[in-house]
Amino acid sequence: MLSNPTPHPTTRVDAALAKIEAGFRELRDAGFDELSTNPQRVVVTQRLETIGRTVPGFVYPLINTIERQWRCGELGDHNVANTLADALRISPSEARTRIRIADDLSPQVTFSGARRNPTYPATAAAVADGAIGDEHVKVIREFFRHVPLDVDNETAELAEQKLAEQARVLRPDQLRTAANRILGYLNPDGPKPEAERARKRSFTLGPQGADLMTKGSFCVDPELRAYLEAAFAKYAKPGVLNPADEESTVEEDPAAETVKRDDRCLEKRQHDALKAILRDALASGTLGQHRGLPVTVVATMTVKELEEASGTAITGGGSLLPIRDVLRMARHARHYLALFDDAGRPIYLGRSKRIAQGDQRLVCFAKDKGCTFPTCSRPANMCQCHHCREWVAQLGLTDVDQLALVCDTHHPLAGVKDTDWHAIVAGADHKYPGRILWVPPKHIDPTRKPRINHYFHPHEYWDD
């Protein structure tokens, strides 16, 4: 959340960095035209690669120290990953990965203040020397995720030393082969089935593509597989739940002609079956509530998009959903309507109680679409309703135009003190009237200039 600082060479670190930056500028200005042969170019490329690989050896201890000395709100956010993501302009997932690697490759400090070696000391030394890269580190860390828990520390340390030595001379793909061979020595009988299954289970949805389709990966345990097999046996049969055939149904066995018309492959039939199963579960009302609303799909759109049946709505989970799909889904859903004025501001809806009601949360879903804190990407279904005017300190009412969606991570940063972030509603003269603005504390920005989150309104990135 902090602005990029202006370098002032007041320390030895600043002076050393200034020399490095000057050296890179000189190298860029010199160019490589004077290198006349490919052997020369390969040598220079190797030297640059070593320099690049050396940098993480400096960065990881810095990240580790930042994490150890972290104070909530000091740098404008609630956790280290968000701060690093904003400062380095990397994704939060990449920031979390770097933090985990920093924990493994940096010296640790015990509660008594004593320093101890990194978790992987030989690997850390190789990184500091610029001898190995990120892919080598990934192979070594993956290796230890598969080492049996009953392997003693001395054996594990010897394996790490051997892998770090090999990483200095092998490519990552070659190192993976060597790691697998060592793993075979450490665990000749293979992993314990129950522990290995528990460690591997996963279900991951990737980001939506430009066509709004989503790829993912999963590794399901035997129990979930059994459930899927039972469901697919009925719902994924040829002629059942075919979206291209109005006569296709699940209530009874399909007619022979219906089966014949079904040209879907098994993968597509299973996709359509899983969609129908989840749709029925959401429509049943048996899944209870989440943050005061029934567990269902909440999609928001404009009146123009609805009338034209074109464009996309945004769901409470932050996904984009074609309007035509929304209209088709509405036949199976509980219906909610949120009204806005011509300027896009929610029509007044007040409550005398402190807790926002379900209908107010729906309006907040529609107007905010996700966490309103600057740069946050958490969707609406991961947020609470925050009072822009504090309920007690400022006698605030639970009016929908004074409520803001804020995720669990950033909500603790909000308050009425000078060291807190303040949420306010943009006035009629603002570029985005009715939107939520966040005023940073003085130690983050002495001018306390309000900030706005454009993440869920991406067209605004081009407006500024």
Side-chain angles (χ1 to χ4, degrees):
M1 301 301 297
L2 292 174
S3 306
N4 289 332
T6 302
H8 296 290
T10 57
T11 67
R12 292 175 60 191
V13 172
D14 291 329
L17 286 173
K19 291 179 181 178
I20 293 173
E21 292 163 351
F24 272 106
R25 286 194 296 270
E26 184 178 348
L27 183 63
R28 181 188 59 202
D29 294 340
F32 301 105
D33 292 342
E34 62 186 63
L35 302 178
S36 57
T37 67
N38 277 341
Q40 289 178 307
R41 298 182 186 105
V42 169
V43 170
V44 171
T45 301
Q46 288 176 321
R47 293 176 65 184
L48 288 172
E49 180 69 15
T50 299
I51 292 171
R53 287 177 170 179
T54 304
V55 172
F58 296 100
V59 173
Y60 290 141
L62 280 172
I63 292 176
N64 188 253
T65 303
I66 292 171
E67 185 183 25
R68 282 192 286 105
Q69 299 183 5
W70 179 258
R71 288 185 298 167
C72 177
E74 178 186 19
L75 298 177
D77 212 306
H78 191 64
N79 61 43
V80 183
N82 288 344
T83 298
L84 288 178
D86 289 340
L88 305 180
R89 296 195 301 281
I90 59 178
S91 69
S93 60
E94 171 64 17
R96 287 189 289 271
T97 298
R98 294 192 188 186
I99 290 171
R100 289 192 290 268
I101 296 175
D103 286 340
D104 289 339
L105 301 186
S106 303
Q108 302 297 315
V109 179
T110 65
F111 286 113
S112 63
R115 291 175 64 87
R116 62 178 178 82
N117 287 333
T119 304
Y120 306 133
T123 305
V127 169
D129 292 341
I132 66 176
D134 292 341
E135 288 189 83
H136 295 98
V137 174
K138 181 179 178 181
V139 170
I140 294 172
R141 294 179 75 240
E142 275 185 5
F143 166 84
F144 279 98
R145 282 198 288 270
H146 295 283
V147 170
L149 298 177
D150 55 1
V151 170
D152 61 88
N153 291 336
E154 183 178 358
T155 301
E157 290 171 2
L158 289 173
E160 191 265 336
Q161 292 174 11
K162 185 63 177 177
L163 284 174
E165 291 173 4
Q166 293 296 314
R168 289 175 177 267
V169 296
L170 297 178
R171 301 193 311 259
D173 57 313
Q174 297 170 327
L175 180 65
R176 182 171 286 106
T177 300
N180 290 338
R181 177 62 62 88
I182 295 176
L183 192 61
Y185 293 144
L186 296 179
N187 195 18
D189 297 328
K192 293 181 175 63
E194 294 81 5
E196 185 67 11
R197 286 197 293 267
R199 182 159 54 176
K200 284 184 174 180
R201 72 186 190 280
S202 65
F203 194 100
T204 303
L205 285 178
Q208 282 184 293
D211 59 357
L212 304 188
M213 297 296 283
T214 302
K215 291 184 178 181
S217 62
F218 65 83
C219 185
V220 301
D221 62 17
E223 181 181 358
L224 178 53
R225 180 185 175 92
Y227 296 149
L228 291 173
E229 285 176 340
F232 289 156
K234 177 178 181 179
Y235 282 74
K237 290 191 302 185
V240 173
L241 296 173
N242 185 355
D245 191 343
E246 294 183 358
E247 297 182 15
S248 183
T249 179
V250 75
E251 300 301 328
E252 55 188 22
D253 287 338
E257 185 61 29
T258 305
V259 173
K260 186 176 181 180
R261 289 196 300 266
D262 192 348
D263 60 355
R264 297 173 299 163
C265 61
L266 176 62
E267 292 84 354
K268 288 182 172 60
R269 296 201 308 271
Q270 291 183 159
H271 171 279
D272 296 340
L274 186 58
K275 180 168 63 174
I277 292 168
L278 292 175
R279 183 190 65 209
D280 292 347
L282 291 172
S284 70
T286 61
L287 300 182
Q289 292 194 339
H290 173 64
R291 297 187 184 273
L293 290 177
V295 177
T296 186
V297 176
V298 177
T300 62
M301 69 203 81
T302 66
V303 173
K304 181 180 179 182
E305 290 169 335
L306 181 60
E307 290 177 341
E308 296 179 354
S310 63
T312 57
I314 185 168
T315 70
S319 300
L320 296 179
L321 190 63
I323 301 298
R324 294 181 183 275
D325 289 353
V326 176
L327 297 176
R328 184 174 60 254
M329 292 166 62
R331 293 180 296 175
H332 309 278
R334 301 173 178 222
H335 298 78
Y336 297 95
L337 177 65
L339 299 178
F340 296 80
D341 63 16
D342 293 337
R345 290 169 293 195
I347 290 177
Y348 177 85
L349 178 60
R351 278 289 185 273
S352 59
K353 296 181 180 179
R354 185 181 192 279
I355 304 300
Q357 303 300 301
D359 47 7
Q360 293 173 308
R361 286 187 57 80
L362 284 169
V363 174
C364 287
F365 271 43
K367 72 183 182 71
D368 296 336
K369 306 185 189 304
C371 181
T372 56
F373 194 85
T375 74
C376 186
S377 59
R378 291 179 180 83
N381 61 11
M382 296 177 63
C383 295
Q384 308 173 27
C385 281
H386 170 69
H387 293 76
C388 292
R389 294 181 62 189
E390 289 291 326
W391 174 261
V392 176
Q394 299 176 331
L395 300 179
L397 297 176
T398 308
D399 297 336
V400 73
D401 55 357
Q402 290 293 322
L403 294 176
L405 289 182
V406 191
C407 68
D408 295 341
T409 298
H410 291 122
H411 204 183
L413 297 179
V416 297
K417 300 177 182 178
D418 288 342
T419 54
D420 298 327
W421 287 78
H422 303 327
I424 60 175
V425 180
D429 58 343
H430 193 272
K431 186 176 183 179
Y432 306 109
R435 290 282 298 285
I436 304 300
L437 309 177
W438 284 84
V439 181
K442 288 185 177 179
H443 69 274
I444 299 298
D445 181 3
T447 66
R448 307 204 71 184
K449 181 180 179 181
R451 306 181 184 185
I452 191 170
N453 188 7
H454 296 300
Y455 185 87
F456 295 98
H457 310 266
H459 62 281
E460 295 173 358
Y461 287 124
W462 310 108
D463 295 341
D464 289 352

